């Protein structure tokens, strides 16, 4: 089973990622290992979205001393609990996508990550992949709790920063034709 998380892909770039990254990878596997058909899940991770999730919590007494217009018990909004997964109602029914809120946010408004599965031959139930994604948010070694995206995305970002900092010289000109290099 190959599980690939691809970070930094906007909605308008998904077709390009599918055609320029996923299909060549599958072709390479078939070329190198004829007859081998691995189960693959290829998912994009998008941190830049305007979606927010809240829960209602009750406050006894309302904190207003019973002034007119306020009930004895008022309701306040708070961030969604860690581990919240939304995969219906606000997601696109034509695709397999979900929002995940893996980390606890104690100040400000928490922003979920949007996971969109572009390719899936695994046969896994949706809930199993959502649990795997949530668990991967706890697998980052440099932080004791959950991070916003699965750990492989965070590791890839770190490697990309290191490569851009320490690799000197002119890169291969063939790379300039690929969007992910630009």
């Amino acid at each position: 089973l190959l599980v690939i998380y691809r970070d930094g892909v906007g909605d308008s770039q998904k077709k390009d990622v599918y055609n320029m990254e996923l299909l060549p990878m599958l072709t390479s596997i078939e070329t190198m290992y004829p007859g081998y058909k691995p189960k693959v899940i290829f998912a994009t991770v998008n941190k830049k979205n305007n979606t927010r999730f809240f829960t209602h919590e009750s406050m006894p007494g309302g904190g207003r001393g019973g002034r007119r217009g306020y009930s004895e018990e008022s309701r306040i909004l708070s961030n969604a609990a860690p581990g919240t997964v939304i995969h219906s109602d606000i997601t696109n029914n034509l695709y397999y996508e979900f929002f995940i809120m893996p980390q606890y946010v104690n100040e400000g408004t928490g922003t979920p990550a949007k996971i969109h599965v572009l390719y899936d031959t695994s046969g896994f139930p949706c809930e199993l992949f959502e649990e795997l994604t949530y668990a991967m948010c706890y697998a980052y070694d440099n932080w004791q709790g959950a991070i916003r995206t699965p750990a492989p995305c965070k590791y890839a970002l770190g490697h990309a920063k290191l490569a851009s900092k320490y690799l000197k010289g002119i890169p291969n000109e063939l790379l300039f034709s690929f969007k992910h290099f630009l």
Side-chain angles (χ1 to χ4, degrees):
L1 174 67
L2 297 174
V3 178
I4 302 163
Y5 292 101
R6 174 64 163 84
D7 193 6
V9 179
D11 289 335
S12 64
Q13 299 170 315
K14 289 178 184 173
K15 186 176 181 180
D16 291 333
V17 168
Y18 182 85
N19 291 326
M20 296 176 72
E21 293 181 26
L22 177 63
L23 291 181
M25 181 194 70
L26 295 174
T27 304
S28 296
I29 291 172
E30 179 62 33
T31 302
M32 292 176 68
Y33 306 102
Y36 177 58
K37 300 278 188 203
K39 295 180 180 182
V40 177
I41 300 174
F42 189 95
T44 61
V45 180
N46 188 346
K47 300 176 296 218
K48 296 178 182 176
N49 60 67
N50 294 323
T51 308
R52 305 292 186 267
F53 299 113
F54 300 99
T55 59
H56 287 272
E57 292 183 4
S58 297
M59 281 186 62
R64 300 286 186 186
R67 289 178 28 195
R68 191 176 69 188
Y70 293 93
S71 65
E72 288 300 317
E73 183 175 292
S74 94
R75 299 174 68 80
I76 62 169
L77 293 175
S78 63
N79 284 313
T84 299
V85 174
I86 308 292
H87 58 237
S88 61
D89 296 331
I90 65 166
T91 58
N92 191 335
N93 292 335
L94 300 175
Y95 306 109
Y96 174 29
E97 63 184 16
F98 60 94
F99 289 92
I100 187 166
M101 186 78 170
Q103 79 283 14
Y104 173 75
V105 179
N106 60 353
E107 186 175 320
T109 305
T111 305
K114 182 179 180 182
I115 312 294
H116 180 103
V117 178
L118 286 178
Y119 185 80
D120 183 6
T121 58
S122 69
F124 284 6
C126 298
E127 292 79 15
L128 185 61
F129 181 66
E130 292 164 4
E131 288 177 21
L132 173 68
T133 302
Y134 178 63
M136 293 304 292
C137 292
Y138 280 88
Y140 187 60
D141 292 332
N142 293 336
W143 187 252
Q144 63 188 3
I147 59 173
R148 192 166 155 204
T149 60
C153 295
K154 191 75 169 173
Y155 286 125
L157 178 64
H159 288 295
K161 285 182 179 179
L162 276 173
S164 68
K165 183 176 180 180
Y166 292 109
L167 292 179
K168 304 290 185 211
I170 299 172
N172 188 332
E173 290 183 16
L174 295 174
L175 293 174
F176 291 121
S177 62
F178 294 103
K179 283 188 169 189
H180 62 273
F181 183 74
L182 299 175

